[in-house]
Amino acid sequence: DGGITQSPKYLFRKEGQNVTLSCEQNLNHDAMYWYRQDPGQGLRLIYYSQIVNDFQKGDIAEGYSVSREKKESFPLTVTSAQKNPTAFYLCASSIRDSTEAFFGQGTRLTVV
Amino acid sequence: GEDVEQSLFLSVREGDSSVINCTYTDSSSTYLYWYKQEPGAGLQLLTYIFSNMDMKQDQRLTVLLNKKDKHLSLRIADTQTGDSAIYFCAETYSGNTPLVFGKGTRLSVIA
């Protein structure tokens, strides 16, 4: 089955630790995106990548980093510089030059 | 900058129609989408409309677009308890630009 897989579904980390969220897709999509969702805030764009080895900052990139070494994978690292990391993180992908995005099931990160 | 506004809550009785409204500020918006999110899950694409259209119907879903007022609505006919979810409006103007989302409308369906 084709789709986008985010893992893990739930993640707990201690304050001050970096953590990496996984996003893998087998849809052969060129573009991938990371959004953060907070209650009552909707989805805010963190980073996106239109092609392998290239990515752009979104609206709230501070405290996050990404890499795009393979077409299928777009991992997101939440660094210790992110002041409020506890949130629901959503990964999406789309065909290049298409606006129709397909979403993974999300990772809920809790920092204690 | 781009902005998409939605009311946060809507409550309807089972069997009634639901109308979820959205306004956007970017007059160059070309592609407008409605996504559904069930609790603890990702977003599921429901339907979309292009800016050169006024209306689109897909089974129980009807999308209306008023470009002059930059207003988009999603009507769900014969609303069921399974329609309870958060509905997001999203827009963009090109295929190389990420979607901009509203804050979502939480639809509660009362049996």
Side-chain angles (χ1 to χ4, degrees):
Chain A
D1 285 335
I4 304 175
T5 302
Q6 291 187 242
S7 60
K9 189 169 176 62
Y10 299 97
L11 191 53
F12 295 87
R13 278 295 182 268
K14 290 185 177 179
E15 194 171 341
Q17 289 182 334
N18 291 356
V19 60
T20 298
L21 282 59
S22 169
C23 179
E24 304 277 332
Q25 53 96 3
N26 60 6
L27 299 167
N28 200 32
H29 286 175
D30 294 290
M32 297 186 75
Y33 312 84
W34 275 106
Y35 289 90
R36 170 181 171 141
Q37 184 179 17
D38 296 283
Q41 291 290 322
L43 274 68
R44 293 182 289 170
L45 183 66
I46 305 172
Y47 269 98
Y48 65 104
S49 167
Q50 297 283 2
I51 198 168
V52 174
N53 292 323
D54 188 39
F55 48 83
Q56 287 77 41
K57 292 182 179 180
D59 300 319
I60 56 166
E62 186 176 350
Y64 299 97
S65 66
V66 293
S67 62
R68 187 82 188 281
E69 297 176 2
K70 297 188 299 181
K71 188 175 185 179
E72 302 80 16
S73 178
F74 191 40
L76 173 74
T77 297
V78 185
T79 75
S80 56
Q82 168 49 234
K83 295 177 182 175
N84 297 296
T86 294
F88 189 53
Y89 291 87
L90 286 159
C91 179
S93 70
S94 67
I95 299 170
R96 194 177 184 192
D97 294 334
S98 169
T99 59
E100 186 174 330
F102 295 84
F103 281 80
Q105 291 299 299
T107 293
R108 185 166 299 281
L109 172 64
T110 303
V111 175
V112 296
Chain B
E2 301 163 358
D3 198 14
V4 179
E5 297 287 339
Q6 300 178 241
S7 53
L8 293 182
F9 301 99
L10 177 65
S11 182
V12 298
R13 293 198 176 276
E14 191 175 18
D16 288 351
S17 291
S18 307
V19 179
I20 303 171
N21 294 302
C22 169
T23 57
Y24 56 96
T25 59
D26 190 350
S27 58
S28 61
S29 294
T30 305
Y31 307 91
L32 297 131
Y33 291 84
W34 284 103
Y35 281 85
K36 176 184 181 182
Q37 185 183 35
E38 297 184 358
L43 272 66
Q44 171 194 354
L45 176 63
L46 281 181
T47 188
Y48 62 90
I49 191 167
F50 297 138
S51 60
N52 61 356
M53 301 165 67
D54 298 322
M55 185 184 86
K56 181 179 180 182
Q57 188 158 0
D58 184 1
Q59 298 181 357
R60 292 191 298 124
L61 305 178
T62 302
V63 179
L64 294 177
L65 175 61
N66 182 328
K67 279 195 71 178
K68 176 176 171 290
D69 295 336
K70 300 190 189 70
H71 183 265
L72 182 73
S73 67
L74 173 69
R75 178 178 180 269
I76 305 173
D78 186 25
T79 311
Q80 302 297 307
T81 54
D83 295 323
S84 294
I86 301 177
Y87 291 81
F88 290 95
C89 170
E91 62 85 19
T92 188
Y93 64 87
S94 81
N96 292 320
T97 307
L99 291 169
V100 176
F101 286 85
K103 293 185 178 181
T105 299
R106 183 179 294 277
L107 173 64
S108 297
V109 182
I110 305 164

